[in-house]
């Protein structure tokens, strides 16, 4: 009997040590110490022993019972501590920084375009958009560029098949200048001041400064008594707002069939301020746009009488302005859709 009690004790303690949670502990308690538990039953049979054996075995049995009860309480406490630890590890640490959702931003070309628009709107310019798919008439003929005119070589054109015949060809606009005609035809004979931004397309060999698709902003002002001085004043103001108050600007003759006289505008190199560097290709000057006084024939095509009205127009490449402003070396970055590039402009 003593042996039996000892074995039972050892077995019980071994099992208790292996028990993993509180409900298993309860099962263990029921199995050994419960009313029908093995120890309880064994102790009950002590009464059948001889009077000589009874006290000793009884005492041992009670000791074992107490030992098991103590062990049970200890195990319960242990398991509770462990459970508490697990709970603590699992709880929300509100001091951890949150996870930011990925944030988008405006494309650098959009940002630059917005900056350009913000400089011109206080001067009274509003914004108008024309179609990217254009008629030959608007892209060329009404801008004083007849079919077969050598000036067409200035714009390598993507035509849309099939050809509709002379003067009716459809194409992807090569510049935003057709917007000049569309706008004048819509507004004549009212004076106007407008910016025409949008995508343009050219059949280009792509390289660091040429893309087959790019964005231009056209500017057009038509009214009575508009002169070259207005053109120079407005564009100088723009360049200084965009690149720096103190910058010198330079106007030189240039040729575009839809302006007379035509000009190109350059700003003093804002990197080297004169002596020459990589940014200005060692000339000290950076060309930023083409411009001129609207050609009388173009005014007429737009519905204005050149005896009464005059105007100036300009056109600039938005990527080029952004490249200068942000020091971007290759136009292809703009349309490579690489977030490592794009996310620098948030
Ligand atoms: N449309 C011309 C170009 O793309 C730029 C320009 C616009 C020049 C308006 C003069 C006046 O090259």
């Amino acid at each position: 009997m003593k042996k039996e009690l000892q074995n039972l004790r050892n077995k019980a303690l071994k099992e208790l040590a292996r028990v993993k949670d509180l409900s298993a502990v309860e099962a263990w308690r029921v199995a050994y110490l419960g009313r029908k538990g093995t120890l309880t039953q064994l102790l009950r049979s002590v009464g059948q022993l001889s009077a000589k054996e009874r006290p000793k075995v009884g005492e041992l049995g009670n000791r074992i019972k107490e030992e098991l009860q103590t062990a049970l309480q200890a195990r319960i406490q242990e398991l509770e501590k462990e459970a508490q630890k697990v709970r603590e590890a699992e709880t929300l640490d509100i001091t951890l920084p949150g996870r930011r959702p990925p944030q988008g931003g405006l494309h650098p070309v959009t940002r630059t375009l917005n900056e350009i628009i913000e400089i011109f709107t206080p001067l009274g310019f509003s914004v108008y958009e024309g179609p990217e798919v254009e008629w030959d008439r608007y892209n060329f003929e009404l801008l004083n560029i007849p079919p077969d005119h050598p000036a067409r070589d200035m714009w390598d054109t993507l035509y849309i098949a099939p050809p509709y015949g002379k003067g009716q060809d459809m194409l992807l606009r090569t510049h935003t200048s057709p917007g000049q005609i569309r706008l004048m035809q819509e507004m004549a004979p009212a004076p106007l001041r407008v910016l025409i931004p949008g995508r343009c397309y050219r059949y280009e060999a792509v390289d660091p400064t040429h893309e087959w698709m790019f964005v231009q902003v056209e500017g057009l002002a038509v009214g009575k008594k508009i002169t070259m001085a207005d053109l120079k004043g407005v564009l100088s103001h723009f360049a200084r707002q965009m690149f720096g108050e103190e910058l010198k600007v330079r106007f030189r003759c240039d040729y575009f069939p839809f302006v007379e006289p035509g000009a190109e505008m350059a700003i003093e190199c804002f990197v080297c301020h004169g002596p020459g560097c990589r940014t200005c290709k060692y000339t000290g000057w950076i060309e930023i746009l083409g411009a001129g006084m609207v050609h009388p024939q173009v005014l007429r095509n737009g519905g204005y009488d050149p005896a009464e009205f005059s105007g100036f127009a300009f056109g600039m490449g938005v990527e080029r302005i952004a490249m200068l402003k942000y020091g971007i070396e290759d136009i292809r970055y703009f349309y490579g859709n690489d977030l490592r590039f794009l996310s620098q402009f948030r």
Side-chain angles (χ1 to χ4, degrees):
M1 182 93 183
K2 276 190 187 168
K3 188 95 192 155
E4 239 176 295
L5 279 167
Q6 286 294 357
N7 285 344
L8 191 66
R9 168 193 173 273
N10 293 343
K11 186 170 167 246
L13 288 177
K14 223 191 249 169
E15 270 179 29
L16 184 62
R18 276 200 298 255
V19 149
K20 285 270 171 342
D21 57 54
L22 290 172
S23 65
V25 169
E26 176 59 11
W28 178 91
R29 189 192 65 77
V30 170
Y32 290 98
L33 301 170
R35 266 196 302 134
K36 292 177 185 165
T38 26
L39 182 64
T40 316
Q41 270 168 4
L42 203 57
L43 286 178
R44 230 172 254 148
S45 62
V46 168
Q48 286 148 29
L49 294 175
S50 66
K52 193 177 155 234
E53 273 183 313
R54 216 183 293 153
K56 278 196 179 161
V57 176
E59 195 210 357
L60 178 65
N62 282 330
R63 238 184 25 239
I64 288 175
K65 188 176 173 183
E66 267 166 41
E67 192 186 354
L68 291 190
Q69 274 165 342
T70 315
L72 172 67
Q73 290 314 315
R75 187 73 186 126
I76 287 174
Q77 271 178 20
E78 241 173 68
L79 286 173
E80 266 171 1
K81 240 188 232 162
E82 274 169 33
Q84 175 66 19
K85 254 192 221 152
V86 170
R87 270 199 300 278
E88 269 166 19
E90 276 174 353
T91 47
L92 190 66
D93 181 353
I94 57 166
T95 66
L96 272 178
R99 280 177 215 142
R100 282 186 189 283
Q103 205 180 12
L106 291 178
H107 190 278
V109 168
T110 308
R111 289 177 81 96
T112 308
L113 179 58
N114 287 348
E115 281 178 64
I116 295 169
I117 291 171
E118 271 166 35
I119 294 171
F120 282 99
T121 31
L123 303 179
F125 286 78
S126 45
V127 176
Y128 167 90
E129 285 182 79
E132 290 173 29
V133 176
E134 198 40 291
W135 298 107
D136 187 283
R137 277 166 60 70
Y138 285 91
N139 196 81
F140 291 125
E141 281 178 62
L142 294 169
L143 287 167
N144 227 10
I145 314 165
D148 307 319
H149 192 282
R152 289 207 178 200
D153 288 352
M154 293 167 74
W155 298 277
D156 291 311
T157 309
L158 291 157
Y159 287 92
I160 293 194
Y164 289 86
K166 201 171 168 253
Q168 286 179 30
D169 288 347
M170 211 184 236
L171 46 78
L172 294 176
R173 68 177 173 197
T174 59
H175 49 179
T176 43
S177 300
Q180 290 188 32
I181 303 291
R182 288 182 174 273
L183 208 77
M184 285 191 282
Q185 290 185 346
E186 209 172 299
M187 299 294 286
L192 59 88
R193 255 179 251 178
V194 74
L195 291 182
I196 311 159
R199 290 201 175 92
C200 304
Y201 302 82
R202 287 185 197 175
Y203 184 62
E204 289 280 0
V206 171
D207 70 18
T209 54
H210 297 86
E211 259 289 6
W212 58 271
M213 184 209 77
F214 54 96
V215 177
Q216 278 192 344
V217 191
E218 194 85 6
L220 174 67
V222 178
K224 295 182 179 173
K225 298 196 182 118
I226 288 185
T227 70
M228 189 96 189
D230 297 307
L231 178 156
K232 290 175 76 176
V234 166
L235 291 179
S236 305
H237 170 77
F238 160 73
R240 292 184 178 132
Q241 290 284 304
M242 197 73 192
F243 295 105
E245 270 310 323
E246 304 299 322
L247 285 183
K248 282 187 203 135
V249 296
R250 181 188 74 182
F251 292 88
R252 293 203 302 193
C253 286
D254 201 350
Y255 172 70
F256 302 95
F258 36 92
V259 287
E260 181 58 36
E264 62 141 64
M265 181 194 184
I267 55 174
E268 172 193 341
C269 177
F270 49 81
V271 176
C272 68
H273 292 279
C277 67
R278 245 159 57 96
T279 301
C280 61
K281 292 190 193 130
Y282 304 95
T283 63
W285 295 93
I286 300 170
E287 286 162 27
I288 60 166
L289 54 81
M293 300 306 291
V294 182
H295 193 286
Q297 186 55 46
V298 174
L299 282 172
R300 239 175 260 126
N301 294 343
Y304 290 86
D305 177 1
E308 221 184 320
F309 285 91
S310 57
F312 68 80
F314 58 88
M316 64 180 116
V318 179
E319 290 86 352
R320 178 161 170 76
I321 303 286
M323 287 168 81
L324 291 169
K325 183 136 181 147
Y326 297 115
I328 298 163
E329 302 205 318
D330 196 315
I331 194 172
R332 289 170 289 197
Y333 285 133
F334 288 110
Y335 304 110
N337 272 340
D338 188 334
L339 284 176
R340 289 171 302 178
F341 170 75
L342 296 172
S343 59
Q344 292 178 49
F345 302 91
R346 267 188 219 137

